[in-house]
DNA sequence: TTGACTTCGATTATCGATAATATACGATTC
DNA sequence: GAATCGTATATTATCGATAATCGAAGTCAA
């Protein structure tokens, strides 16, 4: 799936994506085309293309003649993304169980690294290993379409980890990876899928204060 | 979700997307930038942007200096997309049940229209109503992230319907929408979700001839 | 003082032209 | 005659400049 593009616009896109994901570029920050062009010693055109691709990667948002800025993902969007990611990983696990059978060593090592990072309070390490863990499962599904959609959620699902989230019992969350590995090793994709979906649910920030009245309809704007 | 972009590049993008989805532009067909620019009486730049957006919409594929062509979705990618769509709709149904309670009339009408089209052998109508049905559920989830990813699968999951697919018992498939409506009306999102996932599975074309050796791992290039 | 209108600076959207690259075709060599 | 290499052509990638638009600051009248 990964084309090895050597264009200037791809270089710029990758670099900007890196900065957005690692926080160098803050949410809401404006991305001025000519400024970026000057930095990369290029013209405006490749920058524009890079920005447009970042837009469809959901990393930035743009409106015509107004400009482009780093997307600010609120708690609601984070919740949405985690729910979607959970559904994707559930599907992935079901297909991936076969691929892992007999060799979950790498995955188990990653799971251990997550726990270690959580205990050490190493959030950066936690985020990195966690991403690796979940990406490995998405990859092992053998479903390139799934993987691409999964990757497009990286922004929403990664940022909150980097930021402060003290309402979570990190070591406990970390330990919930091990049963997933067990299920995959046993070839029980369905179980692994359920565990993954449940795992993702833990990250959904607002516990929905509206308890009891679940019959409230939520509207959504049609296309 | 839908920004009302009035740029030239957006106009071109929309028009090209329409042509690809309705089959005017065939899979594998080449999209030459200057030719398109001439047709729209524009310069190359807006066309390029449009093509890049189409690429991230998975409608076309491009390689540097080689050009852009309409993506040819094989049976494998169709299968992948249906599996993913099923997973997304399962999640959507779980959240959407509350939104529908008390008013599934529109949805039921759509379901009936699907059955009618299937019986009449009206494939175009079937595709249109079916898309409407599933989109309604994705929309009702209230999860904008989900909806966007769902929309990005429109190409893979719509094309095969327009094309010849005589291996399916269309009326039977059409009738499987009704139980989904029932479940949503009853507020049983979990059931509706399971039914939707099962429904999507019916469209996965190849029954995987490679029976027995399901343990082959498939590699995928990391980012 | 306030409100609408105008002007100006900044930035985006688009243009026309040029450089870079790939593919196809023909010349040259063995 | 076949293979290799250069060349021509078509197309993409990028450039520098211009037109279009937005937002803010300033202006004028009531």
């Amino acid at each position: 799936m990964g084309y090895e593009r050597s264009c200037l616009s791809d270089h710029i896109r990758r670099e900007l994506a890196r900065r957005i994901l690692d926080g160098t570029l803050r949410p809401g920050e404006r991305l001025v085309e000519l400024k970026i062009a000057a930095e990369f010693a290029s013209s405006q055109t490749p920058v524009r293309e890079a920005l447009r691709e970042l837009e469809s990667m959901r990393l930035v948002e743009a409106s015509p003649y107004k400009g482009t800025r780093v997307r600010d993902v609120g708690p609601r969007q984070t919740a949405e993304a985690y729910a979607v990611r959970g559904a994707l990983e559930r599907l992935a696990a079901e297909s991936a169980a076969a691929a892992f059978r007999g060799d979950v060593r790498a995955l188990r090592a990653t799971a251990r690294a997550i726990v270690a990072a959580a205990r050490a309070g190493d959030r950066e390490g936690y985020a990195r290993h966690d991403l690796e863990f979940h990406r490995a499962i998405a990859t092992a599904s053998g479903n390139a379409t799934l993987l691409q959609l999964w990757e497009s959620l990286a922004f929403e699902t990664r940022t909150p980890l980097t930021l402060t989230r003290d309402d979570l019992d990190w070591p406990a969350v970390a330990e919930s990876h091990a049963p997933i590995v067990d299920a995959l090793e046993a070839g029980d994709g369905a179980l692994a899928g359920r565990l993954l979906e449940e795992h993702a649910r833990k990250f959904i920030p607002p516990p929905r204060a509206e308890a009891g009245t679940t019959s409230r309809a939520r509207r959504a704007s049609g296309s």
Side-chain angles (χ1 to χ4, degrees), chain A residues 82-83 85-94 97 107-108 111 126 130 133-134 137 172-204:
Chain A
Y82 269 108
R85 199 176 94 156
L88 290 178
E89 291 184 357
R90 173 182 191 142
L91 172 64
E94 289 168 4
L107 199 66
R108 197 178 293 282
Y126 184 102
D130 186 73
F133 181 90
H134 290 275
I137 292 174
V173 174
E175 310 237 358
S176 66
H177 289 94
I180 296 168
V181 179
D182 295 338
L184 286 173
E185 187 173 36
D188 190 345
L191 174 59
R194 279 196 299 279
L195 291 173
L196 268 167
E197 192 166 34
E198 192 180 331
H199 173 79
R201 232 185 282 270
K202 291 179 184 165
F203 290 91
I204 299 185

Side-chain angles (χ1 to χ4, degrees), chain A residues 206-218:
Chain A
R208 278 324 181 104
E210 45 166 359
T213 55
T214 27
S215 62
R216 284 283 290 111
R218 300 211 51 85

Side-chain angles (χ1 to χ4, degrees), chain A residues 21 59 131 135 149-159:
Chain A
L21 286 174
L59 291 178
L131 200 68
R135 178 179 283 137
L149 296 198
W150 186 92
E151 291 283 359
S152 77
L153 295 172
F155 183 44
E156 284 93 335
T157 55
R158 183 178 176 178
T159 304

